[in-house]
Structures are given as structure tokens and as C-alpha cells.
Amino acid sequence: GLVWYLWVAPGEHSVANLGLTLLGVLWIGFLGSFATLFLGLGKQMEDVSPALTSNPGIGVLLAAVIVAVSHDVGAFFVGKYMGSTPLSAASPNKTQEGMIGGVLSALVVTVVIIGFGGISPIGDSIPRTIVFAVLCALAAPLGDLCESFVKRDLKVKDMGSVLPGHGGVLDRFDALLFVLPTAYFVTVLFNVWTLSAS
């Protein structure tokens, strides 16, 4: 990055641009890497425990995606039709009602699909599924708000041009990027990554 701004694209605000580039690497690369961490840990468990018929990391990743998507959908519809109380100055369009609707939607959808579907390892018990869904759903709006804060500070409407009008591609994944590390720490709390291997 330093060499790029020194030789290839020199000019004003190079340090700020480099900082923004590194923020993107950490934000997307580091937080997103928890998805591969699930798969890697699950593969290690498969290698250790012959009783496992599939990679448990896939179940954790699926549960995290379901929480993030159902939160976004629930928050959008509840906020659009029932929202009136602003959630944060970082994103004036987001409402407290929308956040509550998103958390409840994530809870219901995750319990139905993961819990009642018995998708291992999160769906092995309904109480575990509920705790997972609530904690991950509470992290999802933080991802939305952080992206809104960054866009507001940069004075841009979209974070990219691939999905104009939708905030860019990052807007589709901002909640998931905060849900993934939360899902990891919740699964550590549940002792998911050592239970089947022992």
C-alpha cells in the first residue's frame, strides 16, 4: 500500500486513502475469515472423530447466514411499516422498531430452520439455538450501523457500483461480517469445537 501511493498513485490524502484501504482489508478480510475458520475447525473435528458424518462448521456457517439474512429482512419490513423511533444518528432511516423486528425475525426463523430442523451443532438443542440466534441477531445491526457510519463520513451513498441503490455489495454483507465472529465466540462458549472431538 505504501509503495502504491508512493509510486503508482501519488497525490493528496494518500495516508487517508491507505488507512481506508487497510480498514477494508481488516473489515472484510478479517471478519469474513471467520467463515473459513468454521470450516477449518469442523474439518479438524471430522478428522479426529469418525462418528461425524459431515463438517460441523457448515452447520455453524449456515446458522450464522440465516440469522443475518432473516435479521436484515425482518428489520427492513418492520422498520418500513412500523418504524418511527430513530435508532442512531449514523443511519437516520434505521429505527428501534426495525431493530427489534429484525432480532425477533432472526430468532423465529433460526429456531424454526436450525432448531426444529435439528441442524447440527447449533440445532442440537432448542435453548442453544435461542441463545445463538439472540446473541448473533444483536450483533447484526452493529454491522449495518458501522457501514452506515463509514458511508456517512465518506459522504457516499453506495460503497460500490455493482449494486447501485442497494448501498453496494458490502451493504448485503455488513450484518453478516459482525455475525460471523459473534457466532464463533458463542460456539466457543457452547464448547462446540471440542465436544465431538473428545
Side-chain angles (χ1 to χ4, degrees), residues 77-113:
F77 283 108
V78 172
K80 182 175 181 179
Y81 295 108
M82 298 171 60
S84 60
T85 312
L87 179 61
S88 169
S91 183
N93 293 332
K94 290 181 174 55
T95 63
Q96 293 177 20
E97 293 84 0
M99 186 192 79
I100 293 167
V103 171
L104 291 176
S105 296
L107 175 61
V108 170
V109 172
T110 306
V111 167
V112 168
I113 295 176

Side-chain angles (χ1 to χ4, degrees), residues 32-139:
S33 69
F34 278 87
T36 56
L37 178 62
F38 297 150
L39 301 178
L41 289 171
K43 179 71 173 102
Q44 286 181 346
M45 289 175 64
E46 269 189 299
D47 294 343
V48 170
S49 175
L52 287 174
T53 57
S54 66
N55 184 331
I58 295 171
V60 175
L61 182 56
L62 179 63
V65 170
I66 287 172
V67 170
V69 171
S70 57
H71 173 275
D72 278 355
V73 172
F76 174 77
F77 283 108
V78 172
K80 182 175 181 179
Y81 295 108
M82 298 171 60
S84 60
T85 312
L87 179 61
S88 169
S91 183
N93 293 332
K94 290 181 174 55
T95 63
Q96 293 177 20
E97 293 84 0
M99 186 192 79
I100 293 167
V103 171
L104 291 176
S105 296
L107 175 61
V108 170
V109 172
T110 306
V111 167
V112 168
I113 295 176
I114 301 295
F116 292 144
I119 298 175
S120 183
I122 303 303
D124 289 347
S125 78
I126 297 298
R128 174 186 282 190
T129 307
I130 290 171
V131 171
F132 180 90
V134 169
L135 292 177
C136 289
L138 290 173

